[in-house]
Amino acid sequence: MTEKEKMLRGMLYAPARDETLLAELAACKAQCQQFNQRAYQAEGVESAQMLLRRLLGAAGEGLRIEPPFWCDYGWNISVGRNFYMNHGGVILDAGGVTFGDNVLVGPQCGFYTSGHPLDAAKRAQGLEYAYPIRVGSGVWIGGGVRVMPGVSIGDGAVIASGVRIGRNSVIGAGSVVTKDIPAGVLAAGVPCRPIRPITAADRMLP
């Protein structure tokens, strides 16, 4: 079994021992750099968006990502319609990252499917693991949020920059999401935890 096959199966793997993974990493970083350089050049806006679509595994209509943006492979990222990510987004997508429709991601957010063993000897061997992240439709992820390996955020959840949202779930800015978050709740903290359901009364708030 190759290291890439181990990665895709959620097993411990050593990316530095797999020439295919190394080549894909290098190619992805080069594409990210090209996107970041072209995104705000008047003559490069359209080509930058084309670069994004070639970089990502799947993307619906209405895709927009602000530079700088970095990811590991690109092909292991899937975004639905009307996906928006603000400046400074990082997606470590070895385990696969899937976003639903109408997802908004605030600045300086990270989605980390990759992790390392607690055992120092295993880390010294260059071993790591990658577990998928899934973000449902209608989610808002506000500034400075970190989403850890293996997390699912339910449809309609919101990870917000300290503001109140009248519908769906809200997760406070700066949260570290280590466990699944259901839809329709207010959640916050490090680690992020549901605090209460979002109710009809919340829809009346600004």
Side-chain angles (χ1 to χ4, degrees):
M1 187 181 301
T2 67
E3 299 303 310
K4 183 175 181 178
E5 288 171 336
K6 293 177 186 176
M7 178 186 84
L8 295 174
R9 295 186 183 190
M11 302 167 62
L12 284 176
Y13 73 104
R17 300 176 196 165
D18 192 304
E19 294 300 324
T20 298
L21 285 178
L22 290 173
E24 290 179 357
L25 278 167
C28 181
K29 302 304 182 187
Q31 285 184 283
C32 288
Q33 186 173 27
Q34 289 177 34
F35 165 74
N36 292 332
Q37 291 173 340
R38 293 185 193 178
Y40 284 127
Q41 298 174 5
E43 68 282 3
V45 173
E46 186 173 342
S47 64
Q49 292 303 310
M50 291 175 62
L51 272 173
L52 271 181
R53 290 192 173 276
R54 288 201 300 268
L55 177 64
L56 302 181
E61 296 179 359
L63 171 66
R64 184 175 176 187
I65 296 178
E66 307 286 0
F69 167 70
W70 296 98
C71 60
D72 278 344
Y73 298 101
W75 53 262
N76 220 3
I77 300 170
S78 175
V79 304
R81 293 179 293 107
N82 302 318
F83 178 83
Y84 176 80
M85 175 176 276
N86 214 319
H87 301 285
V90 174
I91 302 179
L92 307 185
D93 58 307
V97 181
T98 302
F99 297 92
D101 297 332
N102 303 310
V103 173
L104 302 176
V105 180
Q108 305 300 324
C109 287
F111 300 84
Y112 310 143
T113 69
S114 299
H116 301 276
L118 294 178
D119 181 69
K122 290 181 179 177
R123 290 199 303 273
Q125 296 172 38
L127 295 173
E128 59 185 74
Y129 58 84
Y131 301 149
I133 292 172
R134 297 179 178 88
V135 179
S137 295
V139 171
W140 178 20
I141 298 175
V145 170
R146 303 291 183 262
V147 182
M148 299 295 110
V151 166
S152 292
I153 301 174
D155 278 8
V158 178
I159 301 182
S161 298
V163 299
R164 292 175 294 189
I165 307 301
R167 66 183 81 176
N168 302 324
S169 297
V170 177
I171 301 177
S175 294
V176 178
V177 186
T178 62
K179 294 183 179 179
D180 289 358
I181 302 295
V185 299
L186 169 64
V190 180
C192 186
R193 296 173 180 170
I195 296 172
R196 66 170 177 84
I198 298 294
T199 68
D202 292 305
R203 298 191 180 97
M204 304 303 294
L205 297 173

